[in-house]
Every structure is written in C-alpha cells, then in structure tokens.
C-alpha cells in the first residue's frame, strides 16, 4: 500500500537489544531474561518480547500511509495519521502476553508445535492512541453497537505483514463489534508505546491494542479494518491459537470444534530465580509477575518454599507507593500485571512454587500434564523453580 510495504526478505530488519534471548532469527522472535521483567513495572521497549511472522514492514512515506475502514458499514473511510491524531488521545497500561508463553515447560511433557518461549513472552507497556470506539464513530458506528445496520458483528484487523501461514497473505484477526465499540474495553488504535512513537518491531506506525486478550489479536502494522458478519477466517483465528484437550493430536484434530482464544487465563511466574540456581542459606527474596485476562485483578499470590506443603501470601503492587486493591479500578491498572514479592528463610535445597488467584476466583492448575495441548498454548500451571543451597553470589 502507499507509504508502507511488507518486504519479502529479511535484509531491512531493525536493530535489537543484545540482552534478548532469540528463539527464532527469521522471523525474529525473542524474549528478555526473566530477571529483566521485574526490573520495572513498565517494561522498557528494548526488553519487550518480539513476536513476528515475517520480515518487519518498512515505512517509506508516513504522509501517504492510511488505514481504510470498509465492509458492512454505511460510510467507509480512508483515515490518515492526521485523522487518528486529531481524535482524543488515551493512555492505557496493558500487558500483552503471547498465548505460547511458557511453552518450553509444556514441551517437556510431550512434544508441542510452536516457538520455544520460556516465561518472558509478555510485557507491560503504556500504550497511547485513539480508542477504536471513537475511530468507528467516524464511519457511522455508534458506541456500544453489537450489529451494524448492514449486519456487521465483527471487526477484522488486517496487517501489512505478510506471512507464510496465510500463504503469503496478510496477518489478520478479529474481535466482536460490541467489544470494539465499548469505550470501557479500552481497545486502541495505538501510535505510542511508553511515551514514544511505536518502533518498527512493535507496529509502527499504527497497531491495535486489545487489552486483556492474547497478544495475537493486537494486530501490528495496520492496513485496513474490515467490518464483517463473521469472525475472521484467517489462519491465526481458525487454524491456530485454539486450546484442545490432551487427547487431541495431529491425526484427530478438528479445528472447527474449538473457539479462537481471546481472554488469557490467570498466570504467575517467579522471575528472581532460575531453575537450578544455587543460593546461599538464609533469607531469599522471591519476586515475579501475575496477570489475568479480561480486566480481572489479582486477588492473591501464594508462594511455597517446601514444594507445596505450606504456603505464604506474597505482597502485590503495581506502582510504588500506591496500594494495590484487586477490584478497585480507580487505584489499579485493570489491564496490567502486578508484581509480587515474598521473603523466606531457605536452608535446604527445595522447590519454590508460585500460584495466583484472580478476582473471579480463577486459579492456576497444579500440573502442566492436565492442560497439555499439541500447540503448547496457555501454560498457566503452578510455576516451579528448583534451587540448591550452597555457596553462591545470589
């Protein structure tokens, strides 16, 4: 399209921070060390995980770049950057998480298919942009609309990003129209990340942010928005990012029997310790993140230092100096993670476990075996780290 293009080769990739642990070079998929995640509540852009399906698009002329809104709508429009920038700007703190986060632990049970993510395929950022509900009003769709007069019920986002899974076509995904037109859902057409313009890896010049939903629906490098009667029929909505029971394998899979994944379940991970760390005997600080989809808060984080025999409750916080109240949307960022911290006197080698409970009383499953699935998605089992007591710098 004018002003921006999706290259077919990887010769124009942007620079990346050397701290990233690369899971795939082409396309580039990488995550930071887990310890980097808890260095700050807002994840620095350089440390934010990179999830790509092809070469990074290149902007040649930002003045010519536009996003068209079409489909089952009475007043289709072509919107340029200036049109988006003229709308009221909102800043939304939201955690994006790849559905494959913690896939490596699931692959230890049985082989799964997908990028080998450890525990850091997520990040928390301050996203700036226009609310999608305001953007859709420009084409005559009022707020809180579930169906357009032409029968549109879904909003499909189509990227400039070309990927092999779509047989060379664009990456795409959709959300229900009622979610898109609800201002309280905070869906953004974003142009900023942490107070700066989006960089190329994260969707420059425009991307979608769908808070509380798996990252696959927050489409980058937006090309057009399509109002449709049915949900997106693209590969990543219909042939991927669905969760099947452990009994399903590649010989008996029926993709149409499951809904596309949307809200992510409650999740928590220990980040201050790696598996098999050697620690000195004495007081140990256990820190990590916890997050739940759909805007649900984190009611509790439980930590055990004896393999799950006994538990203690960790402290939770978002912004330093402000108390975190899980169901108070005035004092908390409802779409963002919480960081947690607990201290324990550890004198012997042991297994440390963390598990979270959200405000809907959803809890993490105890073992990964029961939620194993062939795509290795949504591993939200209790997070376990084995440590050895000895001579160490930790």
């Amino acid at each position: 399209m004018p002003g921006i293009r999706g290259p077919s080769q990887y010769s124009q990739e942007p620079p990346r921070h050397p701290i990233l642990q690369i899971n795939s070079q082409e396309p580039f998929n990488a995550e930071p060390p887990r310890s980097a995640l808890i260095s700050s509540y807002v994840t620095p852009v350089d440390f934010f995980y990179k999830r790509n399906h092809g070469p990074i698009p290149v902007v040649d002329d930002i003045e010519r770049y536009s996003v068209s809104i079409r489909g089952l709508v009475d007043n289709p429009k072509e919107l340029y950057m200036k049109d988006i920038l003229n709308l009221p700007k909102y800043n939304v703190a939201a955690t994006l998480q790849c559905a494959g986060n913690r896939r490596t632990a699931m692959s230890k049970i049985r082989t799964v298919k997908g990028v080998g993510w450890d525990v850091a395929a997520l990040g928390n950022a301050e996203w700036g942009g226009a609310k999608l509900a305001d953007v859709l009003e420009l084409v005559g769709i009022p707020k809180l609309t579930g169906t357009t007069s032409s029968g549109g019920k879904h909003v499909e986002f189509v990227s400039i990003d070309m990927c092999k899974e779509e047989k060379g076509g664009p990456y795409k995904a959709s959300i229900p129209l009622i979610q898109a037109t609800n201002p309280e859902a905070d869906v953004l057409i974003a142009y900023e990340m942490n107070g700066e313009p989006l960089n190329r890896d994260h969707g420059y010049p425009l991307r979608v942010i769908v808070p509380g939903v798996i990252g696959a629906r927050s489409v980058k490098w937006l090309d057009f928005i399509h109002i449709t009667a049915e949900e997106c029929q693209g590969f990543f909505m219909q042939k991927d990012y669905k969760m099947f029971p452990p009994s399903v394998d590649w010989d008996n899979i029926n993709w149409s029997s499951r809904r596309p994944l949307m809200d992510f379940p409650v999740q928590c991970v220990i980040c201050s310790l790696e598996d098999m760390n050697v620690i000195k005997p004495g007081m140990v600080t256990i820190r990590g993140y916890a997050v739940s989809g759909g805007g649900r808060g984190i009611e509790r984080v439980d930590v055990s230092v004896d393999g799950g025999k006994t538990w203690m409750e960790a402290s939770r916080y978002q912004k330093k100096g402000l108390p975190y109240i899980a169901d108070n949307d005035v004092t908390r960022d409802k779409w963002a993670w919480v960081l947690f911290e607990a201290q324990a006197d550890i004198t012997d080698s042991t297994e440390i476990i963390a598990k979270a409970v959200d405000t809907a009383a959803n809890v993490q499953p105890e073992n990964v075996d029961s939620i194993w699935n062939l795509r290795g998605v949504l591993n939200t089992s209790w997070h376990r780290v084995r440590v050895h007591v000895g001579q160490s710098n930790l």
Side-chain angles (χ1 to χ4, degrees), residues 80-364:
Y80 291 83
M81 283 296 294
K82 61 181 176 58
D83 301 313
I84 302 296
L85 294 171
N86 280 336
L87 292 170
K89 180 189 174 185
Y90 292 87
N91 291 309
V92 175
T95 298
L96 291 190
Q97 178 176 207
C98 180
N101 192 30
R102 299 181 59 196
R103 180 178 280 130
T104 51
M106 195 171 277
S107 67
K108 292 175 183 177
I109 305 301
R110 284 160 57 194
T111 301
V112 298
K113 181 180 178 182
V115 177
W117 297 110
D118 190 32
V119 302
L122 84 170
N124 189 53
E126 185 93 7
W127 306 97
K131 286 197 176 181
L132 180 57
D134 291 340
V135 173
L136 293 178
E137 279 194 322
L138 297 178
V139 296
I141 302 177
K143 290 181 172 67
L144 300 177
T145 296
T147 307
T148 67
S149 58
S150 305
K153 294 182 179 180
H154 298 266
V155 181
E156 181 181 63
F157 310 111
V158 181
S159 175
I160 292 148
D161 181 26
M162 303 298 170
C163 45
K164 64 180 182 180
E165 293 88 350
E166 293 285 4
K167 299 180 180 177
Y171 184 95
K172 50 192 172 183
S174 68
I175 62 173
L177 180 64
I178 191 62
Q179 180 180 9
T181 58
N182 181 0
E184 297 300 312
D186 289 329
V187 181
L188 294 182
I189 302 299
Y191 45 80
E192 284 184 2
M193 181 180 183
N194 296 348
E196 300 290 337
L198 292 169
N199 71 13
R200 288 179 59 208
D201 262 325
H202 294 292
Y204 176 78
L206 290 176
R207 70 170 298 167
V208 183
I209 296 294
V210 187
V213 169
I214 65 166
R217 313 308 176 211
S218 290
V219 174
K220 299 185 283 186
W221 311 294
L222 194 57
D223 185 357
F224 65 87
I225 296 171
H226 197 197
I227 311 302
T228 61
E230 297 181 344
E231 69 186 14
C232 172
Q233 295 300 299
F235 179 90
F236 294 99
M237 289 286 288
Q238 301 304 325
K239 295 292 182 71
D240 203 353
Y241 296 124
K242 295 184 177 184
M243 191 172 185
F244 290 87
S247 58
V248 171
D249 58 33
W250 293 106
D251 294 325
N252 62 12
I253 191 169
N254 176 7
W255 287 103
S256 64
S257 67
R258 291 292 182 272
R259 296 175 57 252
L261 296 176
M262 298 301 281
D263 288 9
F264 50 78
V266 62
Q267 171 79 283
C268 108
V269 163
I270 298 165
C271 294
S272 57
L273 296 165
E274 300 269 353
D275 207 31
M276 306 305 286
N277 269 157
V278 177
I279 60 175
K280 293 179 180 179
M283 294 303 295
V284 174
T285 300
I286 302 153
R287 300 175 62 212
Y289 66 78
V291 66
S292 191
R296 295 177 290 275
I298 299 298
E299 183 67 27
R300 200 175 77 237
V301 176
D302 299 326
V303 173
S304 173
V305 295
D306 55 13
K309 296 175 184 175
T310 62
W311 299 87
M312 70 183 94
E313 187 172 347
S315 62
R316 297 155 296 139
Y317 61 95
Q318 285 184 325
K319 297 170 183 175
K320 293 288 188 181
L322 283 178
Y324 176 79
I325 303 173
D327 59 355
N328 188 332
D329 290 349
V330 176
T331 61
R332 77 176 180 106
D333 293 328
K334 70 176 182 177
W335 306 112
W337 65 13
V338 303
L339 303 180
F340 69 84
E341 182 174 316
Q343 290 193 317
D345 188 12
I346 299 178
T347 57
D348 297 301
S349 300
T350 189
E351 182 181 60
I352 302 174
I353 304 174
K355 61 182 177 71
V357 181
D358 70 17
T359 49
N362 296 309
V363 298
Q364 294 176 249

Side-chain angles (χ1 to χ4, degrees), residues 5-13 26 54-58 200:
R5 55 190 167 85
S8 58
Q9 304 296 325
Y10 291 91
S11 59
Q12 295 178 280
E13 294 291 279
E26 294 181 356
I56 305 301
V58 176
R200 288 179 59 208

Side-chain angles (χ1 to χ4, degrees), residues 374-387:
L374 75 176
R375 276 290 284 116
V377 294
L378 301 189
N379 179 10
T380 57
S381 58
W382 294 1
H383 191 230
R384 304 166 184 267
V385 175
R386 290 206 61 82
V387 294

